[in-house]
Amino acid sequence: MTKSKFARLQEKLVIKQKSAWNNFNEKQRQSIFSFCEKYKEFLNEAKTEREATETIIKAAKAKGFKELESFDSLSPGDSFFYNNKNKSVVLGIIGEEAEFNMTGAHIDSPRLDLKPRPFYEDGNLALLKTHYYGGIKKYHWFETPLAIHGIVIDKNGKKREIKIGENEEDPVFVISDLLPHIGRKTEEKSVREAFEAENLNVIIGNIPIVKDDKIKEKIKLGILSILNEKYGIIEEDFISAEIELVPATKARDVGFDRALIASYGQDDRSCAYTTLKALFNSENRKKTRLAFFYDKEEIGSVGNTGAASQLMERVVEMILRKRNSKKTANEIISKSIVISADVTSAFDPSFAGVFDAKNVNKMGGGVAVEKYTGSGGKYGASDANAEYISFITRLLNENDVCWQAGEIGRVDEGGGGTISYMIAKYGCDVIDMGIPVLGMHSPSEISSKADVYSAYLAYKAFFNTANTE
Ligand code: MN
Ligand code: MN
């Protein structure tokens, strides 16, 4: 039967809402599933920015990447890493021509940090006071088993790593919530009032160290004594320490068809992992390829490890010097093409009202291309140029990568930002492109494996291209 004129017209003119799953044959689907097994391992291994930096450098070294400072000069084909204070990292492969293809993802995620003086004792319990990091819904963190990750520096300046709660036999740490039986008044409060930040106190012990009534805070003392025995640290050392509480859970498959992944930290380690893999598996003789893995995105990209720092200029400058180039970092970056690789929201059928159903990314709809993020009338958005968006979407089509385009939610419903505007200040073309997730910033963010793989293919096509228009 031949298609009607209008069926042909529809096929030619109208956007098709595809499922990325249908873009892959049976063999490719197997590749997706094995790719995501490694991805889940990465999520479990790299739960903090420090751990992600370490894991990325380890993977780079295994691929033959060497420390940038160790090169006297750089030639096409050389691959390097630049470790920025153990909390952000840049990987690069040198090409013949001057312009760069660059991606930027972030490796910090919302969590609970310890306050400088976290230890106290109350109600026969030893507890830790926390200060949340990034935008969290505080109630998610009550009654979620937590693990402690981080570093403490002792009196002699020796760095001690702490990681408790990840092994089956480890203890975990929990913030208690009020029982429903006596929670009536709390339930009448607004969510913000019912779950206060100052109630995010973590239970860490219950045994008094002695019977002696002259000794104060015997349970807290017992905990400090355990920590001193194990790590040689004292209470004062926690003033300088960086200790983060993250969900103690592991990345798991979701659904009877195992199509989805639930895990902490997929914002933005999903894009960190896929840009990392894309860089490793890319080929491009002409262009220098750089992958940035930033810290501090969740609190505004500030600090000397965030995207608002001069890390990008510094690394590009170092490359130029080692290539005996007379060009400035600014000149090079302004002519480069960049992808801000960050997650975005996916349509949630249970909360349909906050989305514009006609302009939203769907789970399994492929990698999400976003012209702008921001909130309240594109405020704070980088707003990519038409020419560059067209360049990127043509690149995706040529490489048969399934993609979709949407906004984070309804206009004036809220919004969010990425690092793209901080990179756009150099004058380069930059666009947000990443994986749609459900429950972003929760302890159990959900992604679709087809989108994770589509993002990987998209970033690989981007690293591979020698074109800029
Ligand atoms: Mn993000
Ligand atoms: Mn975020």
Side-chain angles (χ1 to χ4, degrees), residues 148-377:
I148 284 182
H149 291 232
I151 59 151
V152 185
I153 297 163
D154 71 14
K155 277 282 142 298
N156 305 314
K158 193 168 161 41
K159 202 187 280 183
R160 311 281 181 161
E161 278 198 50
I162 296 182
K163 188 168 169 179
I164 307 169
E166 294 295 340
N167 295 327
E168 267 318 296
E169 64 275 17
D170 281 357
V172 292
F173 308 89
V174 180
I175 297 166
S176 60
D177 190 15
L178 192 58
L179 60 166
H181 312 68
I182 51 172
R184 280 197 197 148
K185 280 189 189 145
T186 314
E187 282 183 12
E188 281 157 20
K189 289 182 181 173
S190 70
V191 178
R192 190 179 284 266
E193 285 167 352
F195 301 95
E196 286 180 61
E198 289 292 352
N199 286 350
L200 290 167
N201 303 316
V202 188
I203 296 167
I204 56 165
N206 181 227
I207 305 173
I209 195 167
V210 282
K211 278 187 184 168
D212 185 354
D213 279 342
K214 277 182 245 129
I215 305 292
K216 297 273 171 260
E217 299 194 306
K218 294 185 272 287
I219 304 165
K220 171 183 157 180
L221 190 61
I223 297 299
L224 287 175
S225 156
I226 291 171
L227 288 170
N228 185 258
E229 221 167 88
K230 200 164 175 197
Y231 303 103
I233 49 179
I234 61 172
E235 189 175 12
E236 196 184 304
D237 298 336
F238 281 82
I239 291 174
S240 62
E242 278 180 19
I243 300 290
E244 305 175 8
L245 284 131
V246 297
T249 45
K250 298 267 192 282
R252 300 285 294 265
D253 286 348
V254 175
F256 292 113
D257 57 5
R258 311 183 84 100
L260 311 153
I261 295 169
S263 171
Y264 168 69
Q266 297 201 73
D267 176 9
D268 184 31
R269 289 181 208 117
S270 58
C271 297
Y273 184 76
T274 45
T275 53
L276 177 73
K277 284 300 196 186
L279 177 73
F280 285 161
N281 297 331
S282 65
E283 271 173 54
N284 195 334
R285 204 163 40 83
K286 287 184 174 168
K287 304 286 280 300
T288 292
R289 290 154 276 164
L290 295 185
F292 287 78
F293 303 93
Y294 288 111
D295 177 28
K296 295 282 183 282
E297 195 277 340
E298 296 297 354
I299 57 167
S301 294
V302 290
N304 59 9
T305 52
S309 75
Q310 294 181 350
L311 176 64
M312 184 176 275
E313 282 144 279
R314 188 158 78 249
V315 170
V316 172
E317 235 169 64
M318 285 170 80
I319 295 168
L320 293 174
R321 224 179 297 140
K322 288 177 196 291
R323 297 211 67 196
N324 288 319
S325 170
K326 296 250 161 17
K327 295 201 163 141
T328 64
N330 206 297
E331 258 179 282
I332 293 296
I333 302 172
S334 71
K335 292 200 180 83
S336 297
I337 51 171
V338 186
I339 285 175
S340 158
D342 205 346
V343 299
T344 186
S345 63
F347 177 74
D348 189 329
S350 303
F351 301 95
V354 297
F355 300 97
D356 167 9
K358 294 169 193 69
N359 284 280
V360 66
N361 297 295
K362 298 212 175 87
M363 297 294 281
V367 66
V369 176
E370 288 193 322
K371 176 174 164 61
Y372 50 84
T373 53
S375 62

